């Protein structure tokens, strides 16, 4: 080999090294990745598979691998059957995803998949997705990803664990279950805040809007307003709301006109007011005060 050929070979090695290096580590956020569904041939993706939230347990396998068989039996008992529809210890759904790395052996792969109760299987024959987590080309490889949005325990699509068990026969479920059970449910946004932006945190279920007043919103969008009584709230344009009550039916109001309400029943404005512990309202169509 001449000197020029040697330099060229070294250059190729230096360039190729980073291309085959591991891209994701624990704590990283995984970008979406497209697969082909093993059963249907349809295109799917990581984010689509995790669209319902929860924890994703990824397992790369080959039908001929004895380490894969041992791990699959353990996973079937200790993860797939253990969690089932109830989810993890915090009620978070757990979804097992098997990634087949052996092409052109359909009958053998079908037998393996059926034997170990795999439900979701995708193809990764060239190990493109595998190599983003490990470049040792062993199997089975396990990756646990949090797909639960708004969880306090981890970011959505965060890698929680990467574990290559090639060459060993460990108790896979015993290792992975504490990681799976560490994920807590996502905290859903308060719908009251969506309707009344900037409203302070409630006290014992009572909210105080700087324009709509005080109301109890534990059953929102059903509320109990301290003056208007029971009602139902829907978002309107901008900061406006639609408010239904048995007093006036459906009404419209917003920060600029409240406490005036436009009633769809009377096609006119009403003005409610508490007087001597009784709710009165001025009907602009009738041009008179009326008690309720």
């Amino acid at each position: 080999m001449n000197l020029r050929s040697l330099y060229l070979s070294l250059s190729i090695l230096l360039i190729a090294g980073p291309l085959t290096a591991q891209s994701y580590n624990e704590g990283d956020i995984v970008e979406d990745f497209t697969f082909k569904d093993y059963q249907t041939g349809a295109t799917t993706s990581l984010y689509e598979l995790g669209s319902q939230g929860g924890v994703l347990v990824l397992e790369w396998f080959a039908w001929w691998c004895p380490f894969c068989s041992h791990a699959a039996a353990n996973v079937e008992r200790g993860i797939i059957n253990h969690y089932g529809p109830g989810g993890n210890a915090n009620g978070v759904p757990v979804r097992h995803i098997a990634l087949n790395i052996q092409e052109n052996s359909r009958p053998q792969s079908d037998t393996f998949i059926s034997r170990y109760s795999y439900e979701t299987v995708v193809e990764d024959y060239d190990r493109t997705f595998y190599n983003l987590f490990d470049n040792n080309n062993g199997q089975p490889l396990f990756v646990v990803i949090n797909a639960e949005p708004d969880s306090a325990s981890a970011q959505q699509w965060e890698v929680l664990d990467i574990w290559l068990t090639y060459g060993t026969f460990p108790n896979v479920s015993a290792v992975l279950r504490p990681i799976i059970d560490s994920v807590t449910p996502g905290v859903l946004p308060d719908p009251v805040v969506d309707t009344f932006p900037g409203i302070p945190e409630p006290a014992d279920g009572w909210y105080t809007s700087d324009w709509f007043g005080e109301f109890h919103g534990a059953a929102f969008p059903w509320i109990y307003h301290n003056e208007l009584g029971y009602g139902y709230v829907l978002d309107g344009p901008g900061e406006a709301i639609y408010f239904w009550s048995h007093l006036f039916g459906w009404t419209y109001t917003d920060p600029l006109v409240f406490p005036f309400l436009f009633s769809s029943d009377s096609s006119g404005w009403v003005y409610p007011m508490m007087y001597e512990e009784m709710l009165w309202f001025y009907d602009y169509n009738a041009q008179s005060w009326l008690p309720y």
Side-chain angles (χ1 to χ4, degrees), residues 35-42 44 49 59 61 95-101 109 113-114 117-125:
F35 305 99
K36 181 181 289 186
D37 186 282
Y38 175 83
Q39 303 291 358
T40 67
T44 186
L49 294 170
E59 178 182 3
F61 76 95
R95 184 171 191 181
H96 174 264
I97 300 170
L99 297 98
N100 189 7
I101 58 174
S109 293
I113 290 166
S114 176
S117 304
Y118 288 173
E119 292 187 1
T120 303
V121 184
V122 297
E123 299 173 0
D124 192 24
Y125 296 140

Side-chain angles (χ1 to χ4, degrees), residues 209-245:
S209 166
D210 58 1
W211 67 270
F212 191 59
E214 295 185 0
F215 61 90
H216 196 276
F220 195 86
W222 287 100
I223 68 168
Y224 180 79
H225 194 277
N226 68 335
E227 293 184 356
L228 302 177
Y230 288 102
Y232 190 90
V233 176
L234 287 178
D235 278 323
E239 294 186 64
I241 63 169
Y242 298 106
F243 178 67
W244 180 90
S245 73

Side-chain angles (χ1 to χ4, degrees), residues 95-166:
R95 184 171 191 181
H96 174 264
I97 300 170
L99 297 98
N100 189 7
I101 58 174
Q102 180 59 57
E103 193 174 10
N104 300 325
S105 298
R106 188 84 187 194
Q108 294 92 333
S109 293
D110 286 345
T111 300
F112 189 99
I113 290 166
S114 176
R115 177 182 299 153
Y116 299 115
S117 304
Y118 288 173
E119 292 187 1
T120 303
V121 184
V122 297
E123 299 173 0
D124 192 24
Y125 296 140
D126 60 2
R127 298 180 185 251
T128 301
F129 195 52
Y130 176 106
N131 288 330
L132 296 179
F133 300 95
D134 191 279
N135 56 17
N136 291 314
N137 289 323
Q139 65 281 321
L141 172 70
F142 290 91
V143 173
V144 181
I145 297 174
N146 172 50
E148 184 74 2
D150 303 311
S151 173
S153 59
Q155 298 182 68
Q156 189 175 27
W157 311 119
E158 181 178 338
V159 179
L160 304 181
D161 189 61
I162 302 172
W163 187 29
L164 176 63
T165 67
Y166 177 76

Side-chain angles (χ1 to χ4, degrees), residues 250-253 260-264 266-270:
W250 280 107
T251 61
Y252 165 93
T253 190
F260 294 92
L261 308 169
F262 186 85
S263 171
S264 60
S266 64
S267 298
W269 290 94
V270 296

Side-chain angles (χ1 to χ4, degrees), residues 22 131 271:
Q22 181 174 328
N131 288 330
Y271 178 81

